Structure formats: C-alpha cells, structure tokens
Amino acid sequence: MNHDEKDAGLKVVDRRAFDESGAPRTVEETVAEAAPVPPPPPQTPAAETSAPKTETGGAPRGSLQQLSFGHFCLSLAGSTQVALGLIPNPQTNLTTKDLGAARQTIDLLGMLQEKTKGNLTTEEAGLLEELLYTLRMQYIEVTKPKVP
C-alpha cells in the first residue's frame, strides 16, 4: 500500500479561530473545513471482530460475524436440535420434530469430520467430535421407544 492509499480517508481540519496571517477567520470558513468526512470502509478482518457485543456476548442482531469452522459446526448442531424437537424453531417459536432432517444433518457433520481429518486445529477437531457425540446421543434418546 502506498502513502496516498493509506491516508485516503484522513483529513486534517484547522479549527483555529485565526488564519496563518493572524487575521480572524469567519464562521463559514471554519464550518466548511470541518465538514465531516465519512470513514473509509474496514479493510482488515480485525475491524469485523471489533463490532459491539450484545448482552449475550454475540454480535448485534443484523450484523455479520466472521464465519469460522467452529461457528459453522455450531450452526448445524443448533439446526439439528431444532429438528430433534429439543429447542423451539427461532422463527416460529414452535417445537416440532423432523427426524429425517436431524439424521441428515448429523450425517453431514460426520462427513465433514471424515473429509477434514488432519486439516483441522485441535480445538476444531475436538469441537466437532463433541458435537457429533452429543447429537448422536440426543438422536438416540429422542427416537428410542417409550416404555410405559
């Protein structure tokens, strides 16, 4: 990045009441120079992660958060729990079961585990392993016959 690109959004405003010769400046001159300049768009991923947090610790509603493999897996796990009827659907606030969709999403996570083996960090692999174990146990619990 050259010097001009780095300073493209920077504007220095002289707000002194007198100009270089010592003569008083008019209000119009001061206001015209102090007109706000919109900030440049964020150019680094660090700017995305510094978004204000909500009370629950997540990004504010409507904002985009940088997607990671862990976020992706947690999203699939949440969808599976909705399909298992363990948590209500956030759009309808109703609890329904769709065991076919739940099984398919669990199988998808299993396929991701197999296809990404050796390419994940220790934390990512551990998260995926734990999610798969938990979801498989929840599926078994939901589908086992109830004994009177």
Side-chain angles (χ1 to χ4, degrees):
M1 176 183 319
N2 66 32
H3 183 66
D4 293 334
E5 289 176 4
K6 187 165 74 172
D7 293 336
L10 180 67
K11 181 177 179 182
V12 177
V13 178
D14 184 1
R15 296 184 181 188
R16 293 178 288 186
F18 300 94
D19 64 11
E20 296 83 20
S21 66
R25 296 171 64 176
T26 65
V27 174
E28 292 81 17
E29 290 175 329
T30 306
V31 171
E33 286 184 20
V37 177
Q43 304 222 353
T44 62
E48 294 172 9
T49 59
S50 64
K53 301 291 182 184
T54 61
E55 291 177 11
T56 58
R61 186 175 199 161
S63 72
L64 295 178
Q65 202 176 53
Q66 184 176 5
L67 185 63
S68 68
F69 185 77
H71 286 115
F72 177 63
C73 291
L74 288 170
S75 174
L76 290 174
S79 298
T80 304
Q81 291 180 322
V82 168
L84 289 172
L86 298 173
I87 57 175
N89 183 326
Q91 293 177 335
T92 63
N93 210 26
L94 298 174
T95 303
T96 58
K97 288 184 184 178
D98 185 351
L99 297 178
R103 182 76 236 161
Q104 188 176 33
T105 309
I106 293 170
D107 290 344
L108 174 66
L109 282 166
M111 181 186 70
L112 279 173
Q113 182 183 41
E114 190 62 35
K115 296 291 184 179
T116 58
K117 197 169 282 190
N119 292 319
L120 300 177
T121 65
T122 305
E123 294 81 17
E124 291 169 336
L127 173 66
L128 187 52
E129 182 74 29
E130 182 67 30
L131 286 175
L132 276 168
Y133 176 80
T134 302
L135 293 172
R136 287 172 176 156
M137 292 298 110
Q138 288 174 339
Y139 183 87
I140 290 169
E141 187 64 32
V142 167
T143 59
K144 78 178 180 183
K146 305 293 182 211
V147 178

